[in-house]
Amino acid sequence: MIDLCYDARWLGATGIGSVAAAMIKRKPNDISLRPLTYSGRISDPLSPFKLGSELRKLRADVFWSPGFIPPFSPKTPDVITVHDLTHLHYYSAAHKIYYDLLLRNIYKKSSKIVTVSEFTKNELMEWGGFSSEKIDVVYNSVESGFNFNVEKINLGWPYIFYAGNRREYKNIDRMIEAYSLSELPGAGVKLLLTGKLESKIGALLDKLNIQTMVEFSGFIPDNDLPRYFKGALAVVYISLYEGFGLPILEGMATGVPVITSNLSCMPEIAGNAAFLVDPLNLEEISSAMNKIASDGYFRNSLIVAGLNRAKDFSWDVSSRKFWDIIREVGENR
């Protein structure tokens, strides 16, 4: 029996929390699991040191961090899941220095790093100088509620759908502007975003004069989210940077065509089953929206391709690979 201690602070209603929960749900019987009894803030710059200090008080075979914060000098073999390197690209100079001077050196001493795409693995290797053997790719997936037969929600109007947060690299402003240039507003097809209207977006909608054509869903419970995907004419996810891009897979699994970016990890996850666009090119984005909305044959071909692509991702397969990594680290301690 391998005794695994993990950083439970990452659990919750976030992408990292959802991935961690999917792995924990499928834990094999030969691995015992207990949370680390430490409640300090993840955002605390001293978190790696405090985490390491707490671990040195415990006896565990392996430690797992579901997120990017590793323990400093834990004296326990550790596995760190790094979903992306967003903080190097889209946060402050202080974040970059923190990664370059502290986290990179701690990662070098970690027993294993797990990433969620080959793109992130390659980026980690280039940035950190890590060997390929140190990093394993374990793809994300979606739960069974995301499927072709899920009942679609009826909002009373057709829409294209964006699900996600509003961080700068999500490219929300450019998506809205491309939508305003497309034929969709004139055809009565709305743009639906998760979450609430914010003042900055409201000002952009006023400027583009499409206030009545962009809607906001508010908070959507996890159980209802597949229905919103299923009800859409298309999923639009033209982010500038991702470690995986889960909404791509969520759209495909529910049988909805996906428009996504031709850079970062997104071509890797989409394969040949999505409409790839230059996320900086407004004309290209709006043309993709027009084609999916107006060309039924093309739309159906993307639906079929997406459903097939979604079958390449499985939580059962990914969790088996992940727990094999934990076993390997525990047995070689």
Side-chain angles (χ1 to χ4, degrees):
M1 177 75 71
I2 293 176
D3 177 24
L4 175 70
C5 181
Y6 72 102
D7 189 348
R9 296 177 299 168
W10 292 100
L11 296 183
T14 64
I16 291 177
S18 297
V19 173
M23 296 302 177
I24 291 170
K25 178 180 177 181
R26 295 164 175 84
K27 180 191 73 66
N29 294 330
D30 64 330
I31 297 175
S32 65
L33 188 64
R34 57 188 168 115
L36 178 68
T37 54
Y38 171 59
S39 57
R41 293 182 300 110
I42 291 174
S43 59
D44 182 353
L46 297 177
S47 193
F49 300 99
K50 295 177 180 179
L51 198 57
S53 177
E54 290 297 317
L55 274 174
R56 288 192 292 274
K57 301 174 186 177
L58 298 177
R59 287 187 176 181
D61 296 326
V62 183
F63 172 73
W64 169 42
S65 175
F68 58 87
I69 297 296
F72 177 78
S73 188
K75 295 185 178 179
T76 300
D78 57 339
V79 176
I80 313 300
T81 300
V82 179
H83 291 259
D84 56 55
L85 292 176
T86 309
H87 293 86
L88 283 176
H89 306 294
Y90 293 98
Y91 285 72
S92 68
H95 282 92
K96 188 176 188 309
I97 292 170
Y98 185 76
Y99 263 70
D100 288 343
L101 296 185
L102 181 63
L103 293 191
R104 177 162 50 191
N105 289 316
I106 302 178
Y107 287 153
K108 287 179 179 178
K109 298 177 181 179
S110 297
S111 303
K112 204 73 162 175
I113 298 174
V114 172
T115 68
V116 295
S117 64
E118 292 289 344
F119 171 82
T120 301
K121 174 177 179 174
N122 292 334
E123 192 175 30
L124 268 167
M125 290 169 60
E126 182 178 346
W127 167 70
F130 309 125
S131 69
S132 178
E133 291 73 25
K134 187 181 183 69
I135 307 173
D136 284 330
V137 175
V138 178
Y139 282 124
N140 293 336
S141 186
V142 294
E143 295 291 355
S144 59
F146 288 91
N147 65 81
F148 180 75
N149 295 315
V150 67
E151 180 183 358
K152 68 180 179 180
I153 195 164
N154 183 1
L155 300 177
W157 28 263
Y159 62 91
I160 59 175
F161 188 43
Y162 168 79
N165 63 52
R166 312 275 174 78
R167 295 191 182 103
E168 176 192 351
Y169 62 89
K170 296 295 185 178
N171 211 20
I172 303 299
D173 287 3
R174 201 170 275 111
M175 176 184 68
I176 291 173
E177 190 170 353
Y179 166 76
S180 74
L181 296 173
S182 76
E183 300 168 359
L184 272 59
V189 178
K190 294 190 175 187
L191 170 61
L192 175 66
L193 289 77
T194 54
K196 298 178 180 179
L197 174 64
E198 299 169 347
S199 58
K200 179 184 175 183
I201 291 180
L204 178 61
L205 299 183
D206 290 342
K207 176 184 176 183
L208 299 173
N209 196 29
I210 52 171
Q211 307 94 321
T212 62
M213 296 307 296
V214 179
E215 302 281 351
F216 299 85
S217 69
F219 173 75
I220 302 176
D222 288 345
N223 290 342
D224 286 337
L225 189 57
R227 299 182 61 211
Y228 279 82
F229 273 91
K230 185 64 177 180
L233 283 174
V235 170
V236 184
Y237 199 74
I238 54 167
S239 178
L240 301 176
Y241 178 89
E242 294 292 329
F244 185 86
L246 195 57
I248 298 170
L249 192 54
E250 290 170 334
M252 290 177 172
T254 48
V256 178
V258 174
I259 300 170
T260 193
S261 304
N262 63 2
L263 44 73
S264 185
C265 73
M266 285 158 278
E268 175 187 346
I269 303 307
N272 296 317
F275 198 143
L276 300 181
V277 298
D278 177 353
L280 301 175
N281 188 318
L282 291 174
E283 183 179 351
E284 206 169 301
I285 300 164
S286 63
S287 294
M289 293 176 179
N290 291 339
K291 187 167 181 64
I292 283 184
S294 63
D295 189 334
Y297 178 82
F298 179 70
R299 184 172 183 275
N300 287 334
S301 69
L302 282 182
I303 290 173
V304 172
L307 288 167
N308 287 328
R309 177 59 174 160
K311 294 175 183 177
D312 293 334
F313 300 87
S314 162
W315 276 135
D316 290 339
V317 172
S318 290
S319 64
R320 282 196 295 270
K321 182 174 182 180
F322 172 77
W323 292 113
D324 282 346
I325 293 167
I326 297 294
R327 282 194 197 93
E328 178 188 351
V329 171
E331 291 168 356
N332 293 332
R333 66 187 184 277

